[in-house]
Amino acid sequence: ETGVTQTPRHLVMGMTNKKSLKCEQHLGHNAMYWYKQSAKKPLELMFVYNFKEQTENNSVPSRFSPECPNSSHLFLHLHTLQPEDSALYLCASSQEAGVNYGYTFGSGTRLTVV
Amino acid sequence: DAKTTQPNSMESNEEEPVHLPCNHSTISGTDYIHWYRQLPSQGPEYVIHGLTSNVNNRMASLAIAEDRKSSTLILHRATLRDAAVYYCILGVDAGNNRKLIWGLGTSLAVNP
């Protein structure tokens, strides 16, 4: 049982839809991340939040909009996506933002844009 | 960006040790070495990380070369549940740029 829960597990959406991905952790971590995993490509960091403040936006298109209302919850709002945005979207958390901590990942949301 | 090089795939037998190699010749002095693994239909799972010294935990051991340009993840006794993609990752820590640099990993098959 992972300490990071992502919902939904699967999502199919049209290019004109608006949807949101949810991530929740109760590990007491202060940093949360969104990653994108596409087939045959390395994981791509999208956004970093540390103590609820966004500290990194890795040149992500504005059709992806993150929200972090508190240290336990992270959302990724999606609108007017393209078929190439189809991928596995992973949420992770760590004690603090940085590379001296292990990251705990959720199981991901498999997104298909049609 | 600093990067790692791993074999695309490896094979091992159940109950035998497994040594997964990783080269990171461009590593900087402040970069951490992380290992994660990913089973099908799951997110990555943290295995171990270190900076300069060898590290042990309940899952595995991490052996880091003296010049830090390579490392080896050691699974002491492989089980069928260890079949996964193993990622060797550099944790770059350079001022405001702090992130994990992922590669494509090694797909480990474990034979019964």
Side-chain angles (χ1 to χ4, degrees):
Chain A
E1 177 67 38
T2 179
V4 176
T5 303
Q6 289 187 244
T7 53
R9 289 296 307 273
H10 300 273
L11 177 62
V12 179
M13 59 185 290
M15 288 190 284
T16 58
N17 290 159
K18 290 185 181 180
K19 296 286 185 184
S20 296
L21 309 185
K22 180 182 176 181
C23 176
E24 186 173 354
Q25 60 92 7
H26 295 289
L27 299 168
H29 289 171
N30 295 302
M32 296 187 79
Y33 311 81
W34 280 116
Y35 280 87
K36 176 183 179 183
Q37 187 173 33
S38 303
K40 309 296 184 187
K41 293 177 69 176
L43 263 73
E44 300 172 52
L45 178 64
M46 300 176 71
F47 301 104
V48 180
Y49 278 82
N50 198 33
F51 293 92
K52 301 188 299 178
E53 298 297 320
Q54 186 179 132
T55 58
E56 182 149 354
N57 175 340
N58 212 30
S59 302
V60 180
S62 60
R63 57 185 183 270
F64 295 91
S65 175
E67 179 190 1
C68 187
N70 54 61
S71 292
S72 298
H73 294 86
L74 186 64
F75 296 89
L76 188 62
H77 304 298
L78 316 172
H79 64 97
T80 59
L81 295 192
Q82 305 299 311
E84 59 265 28
D85 296 322
S86 299
L88 181 67
Y89 288 84
L90 292 159
C91 174
S93 70
S94 65
Q95 187 63 44
E96 291 184 22
V99 296
N100 188 25
Y101 305 99
Y103 290 25
T104 302
F105 282 82
S107 296
T109 295
R110 174 69 61 186
L111 173 67
T112 303
V113 181
V114 297
Chain B
D1 278 337
K3 64 180 286 185
T4 59
T5 304
Q6 299 177 253
N8 289 334
S9 61
M10 290 183 64
E11 203 170 319
S12 70
N13 296 318
E14 200 175 8
E15 298 188 5
E16 291 183 358
V18 183
H19 291 236
L20 295 161
C22 180
N23 287 319
H24 29 79
S25 58
T26 60
I27 192 170
S28 297
T30 55
D31 294 346
Y32 284 81
I33 301 159
H34 287 243
W35 284 83
Y36 287 74
R37 69 181 186 182
Q38 188 171 21
L39 279 67
S41 302
Q42 293 189 27
E45 176 187 23
Y46 169 79
V47 178
I48 201 165
H49 79 286
L51 184 61
T52 56
S53 305
N54 294 343
V55 185
N56 300 294
N57 65 22
R58 61 174 181 82
M59 289 183 71
S61 295
L62 174 60
I64 301 173
E66 199 168 328
D67 63 5
R68 301 210 324 129
K69 294 186 176 182
S70 65
S71 61
T72 302
L73 180 72
I74 303 164
L75 307 180
H76 295 286
R77 198 161 162 268
T79 70
L80 296 178
R81 290 179 298 175
D82 291 323
V85 178
Y86 285 79
Y87 297 97
C88 170
I89 297 153
L90 291 188
V92 172
D93 189 353
N96 289 331
N97 182 21
R98 295 179 296 170
K99 58 184 172 184
L100 303 182
I101 308 297
W102 295 73
L104 294 176
T106 296
S107 180
L108 175 67
V110 180
N111 301 315

